[in-house]
Amino acid sequence: MKRLDLIRWLERNGCELLREGGSHSVYVNRAKQKAATVPRHREINEFLARKICKDLEIPIA
C-alpha cells in the first residue's frame, strides 16, 4: 500500500498528525485516545497497514 493512501485513510477516519519524528510520523485518534507510528517508506506492507489501523481502532484499510 502506498504511504499516502494509508495517510488519507487515517485522516478520513478521524486520525490526525501529532508530530513528525526522524523516520516516522505519529498519528493519533483523539476520540479513542490511541496513537500509532507510520514509517516514512513509499510502500507500507499490508500487514503493517492493518496493524496501524488496529492500533488506532479504525476500520482496516
Side-chain angles (χ1 to χ4, degrees), residues 40-61:
R40 286 211 195 114
H41 303 278
R42 288 185 191 265
E43 285 286 327
I44 296 174
N45 90 27
E46 294 295 322
F47 179 79
L48 181 57
R50 276 191 235 163
K51 176 157 184 355
I52 290 168
C53 291
K54 185 178 175 184
D55 289 348
L56 291 169
E57 294 183 7
I58 62 171
I60 295 173

Side-chain angles (χ1 to χ4, degrees), residues 16-40:
E16 54 191 53
L17 179 65
L18 179 64
R19 65 183 171 84
E20 294 284 342
S23 60
H24 291 75
S25 303
V26 178
Y27 278 82
V28 64
N29 183 347
R30 294 194 189 274
K32 307 267 181 162
Q33 297 183 352
K34 300 290 180 176
T37 58
V38 178
R40 286 211 195 114

